[in-house]
Amino acid sequence: MSLLNKRRFLPLFVTQFLNAFNDNFYKMAMVILVTYEIYSDPTQEANFNAIAGALFILPFFLFSALAGQLADTIEKTRVIRMVKTAEIFIMIFGAAGIYLHNIPMMLAALFAMGVHSTFFGPIKYAILPQHLEQDEVLGGTGLVEAGTYLAILGGTIAGGIIPGKIAGIGIIIVAIIGRVTAQSVPLAPPESDAPTAKMDWNIFRSSWRLVRDTMHIPRLFLAIMAISFFWGVGAVLGSIFPPMVKNAIGGDNTVATLFTAFFSIGIAIGSVAVNRMLNGTVSAKYAPISVIIMGLFVLDLWWTVSHWQPTGPELIDWWQFLTLGYGERMIVDLLGISIAGGMFVVPLYAFLTTTVAKSQTARTIAANNIVNSGAMVIGAVIYSLLVSAGVGIADTLFMIAAACLVSAWISWKLHKACDPVAA
C-alpha cells in the first residue's frame, strides 16, 4: 500500500482507475437504459448484452499488436496522454447516443472505448517494471487490479443509479479529469534494447506474428491460455448478469448494480490477498485451487438460480432481494467467485511482466490481450448462440463451472513447469 504514496505509481494508478471507472460508468448506463427502458423482450436483451460485450472486446483482438508495438518503441506516457485525450471526444459522442436513445451511436462509442482501452491496456502493466523494483511488481499489479475492480464497482453503481441524461454529462467530466491526472504520470522511455523497426500497420499480419512469437515460449503459452480461459468464462458471466437479474430472479436495476458491485469488491479483495499470501513472490502455485474454488461457487450459484421462485410480476429492488431466503446465498456465491478469480489472475499477469525483458513487456501483454479478447468474443458468441437455442441461464452457469476445470488444469501445468525453476 505504500506504493500509493509514490509519484512513480500514484498518478498511473489514479489514471487507470478513472479509465476503468468511466468504461463501466458508460457501459452500465447504456445497458440499464436499453434493458429497462428501450427493450422489453428477454431474447433481445440477452442478445444486446452479448453484442455489447463482444463489441467492447473486439478492438483488443484487432488492435493489440499495434498497441504493443507502439508502447515498446516510443515513450509510454505520451501514448497514455493521447488515448486519454481521445476518451473525451468518445464520451461526448456516447453521451449524445444516451441522450437520443440511439442504440447504434451508443454501440459505436462502446467500440471506440474498446479501441481506447486496447492502447491503454498494455501500458498500464508494462510500465510497472520500469517504475517499480522487482519485489514491488506483484504488489503493484495487485493494486492495479484491485483499483480496476473498485473502479468497476464505482462506475457500475454510478451507471446503474444515475439517470441516463445526467450520466452522459458525468462520463465527459470523468474523461477530462483522467486526462489531467495522465499529465503527472512519470516518463517511461523505451528501453535501450527496444525494437527500432517501423510499425507494421497490417493488423492481421502484425497480430499473427506477435502471437506466434510470444506463444512459442512454453511458460508464456501456458500463462496466456490460463488467463484466456478465465476471461472467456468472465465474458459469459458478464453477459449473463443483467438478463439473469431481470428474467430469472425478477430484480430491477438496483439488483443488477448490487451483483456487479459485490463481484468487483471480491476481485479487489482477491487481488490484494494473493500478494500477501505469496509475500511478493511471483508464482502460480495458488492458481489451480483458486479457479477450482471459483467453479464450486459458480456451481452453487447455478443451483440457487435454478431453484429461484420469482415473487410476482413486479420487479423487486435490492432490499427486497436481500430479505428473500436465497438472496444472501447468491451474494456469498458472487463474492466467492470474484475473490477466487482475483487470486487466480493477478499472479499470472505479474508472471507475464516479470519473465520477459522490460523492452518486451508491452508486446507480451498485447499478445495476451489478443488471445484473451479472442476467448472473450468466442465466449460472448457462444452465449448468444445458447440463448438463441433456448438454453437457460441456469444451464449456462453449469457449463461455466465445468469450464473452470480447464483453467485449473492449464494453471497447474504452468505451476509445475515454472515455479520450481523460479525457486
Side-chain angles (χ1 to χ4, degrees):
M1 300 299 291
S2 63
L3 289 174
L4 294 175
N5 296 325
K6 305 291 192 301
R7 185 178 180 274
R8 57 195 170 98
F9 182 77
L10 180 60
L12 174 68
F13 177 84
V14 174
T15 302
Q16 67 85 27
F17 180 95
L18 292 172
N19 187 80
F21 179 94
N22 222 22
D23 278 351
N24 290 276
F25 187 9
Y26 172 70
K27 185 176 180 181
M28 191 64 172
M30 179 191 72
V31 166
I32 293 296
L33 177 68
V34 172
T35 302
Y36 287 92
E37 295 187 30
I38 297 179
Y39 285 152
S40 58
D41 176 76
T43 301
Q44 282 184 316
E45 293 159 9
N47 284 331
F48 173 81
N49 279 278
I51 291 169
L55 276 178
F56 184 74
I57 296 303
L58 184 60
F60 288 88
F61 184 76
L62 295 176
F63 305 121
S64 284
L66 298 181
Q69 292 178 75
L70 194 67
D72 273 339
T73 53
I74 71 172
E75 204 277 313
K76 294 179 178 63
T77 309
R78 179 182 170 193
V79 180
I80 293 175
R81 292 168 184 169
M82 287 191 296
V83 297
K84 297 307 291 181
T85 299
E87 181 184 357
I88 298 172
F89 296 98
I90 295 169
M91 288 294 89
I92 291 173
F93 187 81
I98 290 175
Y99 184 83
L100 297 172
H101 285 202
N102 187 306
I103 290 177
M105 286 182 68
M106 289 188 282
L107 290 176
L110 185 68
F111 179 82
M113 282 300 287
V115 175
H116 156 272
S117 294
T118 298
F119 282 86
F120 184 76
I123 291 176
K124 78 174 183 180
Y125 291 110
I127 205 171
L128 294 178
Q130 286 189 266
H131 288 167
L132 304 181
E133 300 298 331
Q134 180 72 19
D135 60 354
E136 294 176 327
V137 173
L138 179 61
T141 303
L143 284 173
V144 166
E145 283 295 296
T148 297
Y149 280 92
L150 288 175
I152 291 172
L153 166 61
T156 298
I157 292 174
I161 64 177
I162 295 176
K165 292 182 180 179
I166 299 176
I169 298 172
I171 58 177
I172 297 171
I173 293 173
V174 174
I176 293 171
I177 297 173
R179 177 60 183 86
V180 173
T181 61
Q183 199 65 32
S184 299
V185 176
L187 297 179
E191 296 292 324
S192 58
D193 59 340
T196 56
K198 291 183 178 180
M199 292 276 292
D200 183 354
W201 296 101
N202 185 312
I203 60 175
F204 300 106
R205 182 177 60 224
S206 59
S207 296
W208 167 251
R209 287 178 176 174
L210 181 61
V211 172
R212 179 197 62 193
D213 293 344
T214 304
M215 298 287 278
H216 83 278
I217 303 171
R219 67 181 188 277
L220 297 181
F221 173 83
L222 290 171
I224 291 172
M225 291 305 297
I227 295 171
S228 296
F229 267 96
F230 174 82
W231 285 122
V233 167
V236 179
L237 279 173
S239 298
I240 280 177
F241 276 176
M244 180 178 73
V245 168
K246 181 181 178 184
N247 302 313
I249 298 172
D252 65 8
N253 63 307
T254 64
V255 181
T257 303
L258 184 74
F259 269 42
T260 310
F262 273 98
F263 195 81
S264 303
I265 291 171
I267 290 281
I269 293 171
S271 299
V272 174
V274 72
N275 177 61
R276 181 75 66 174
M277 293 169 65
L278 290 171
N279 197 28
T281 302
V282 178
S283 168
K285 68 179 181 179
Y286 292 126
I289 188 63
S290 296
V291 77
I292 288 173
I293 291 172
M294 175 181 167
L296 291 175
F297 277 107
V298 173
L299 200 61
D300 192 70
L301 182 63
W302 159 77
W303 189 93
T304 306
V305 171
S306 63
H307 289 79
W308 187 272
Q309 295 295 328
T311 58
E314 296 294 325
L315 298 179
I316 60 175
D317 62 22
W318 69 274
W319 178 251
Q320 292 171 306
F321 168 77
L322 290 178
T323 58
L324 297 174
Y326 290 138
E328 293 178 355
R329 179 172 180 168
M330 202 172 289
I331 293 299
V332 171
D333 286 337
L334 290 172
L335 279 173
I337 292 167
S338 53
I339 290 173
M343 293 178 61
F344 172 80
V345 79
V346 166
L348 299 184
Y349 273 112
F351 184 88
L352 291 180
T353 60
T354 56
T355 58
V356 297
K358 293 181 181 179
S359 60
Q360 299 174 357
T361 50
R363 281 170 293 163
T364 302
I365 293 295
N368 173 69
N369 287 347
I370 292 171
V371 182
N372 290 177
S373 60
M376 294 170 78
V377 170
I378 290 171
V381 170
I382 290 174
Y383 174 60
S384 182
L385 293 174
L386 290 174
V387 170
S388 300
V391 177
I393 289 172
D395 292 335
T396 305
L397 287 171
F398 187 85
M399 295 178 189
I400 289 172
C404 289
L405 294 175
V406 179
S407 274
W409 175 69
I410 297 173
S411 57
W412 173 254
K413 292 191 68 174
L414 175 67
H415 165 57
K416 298 296 288 184
C418 300
D419 286 344
V421 175

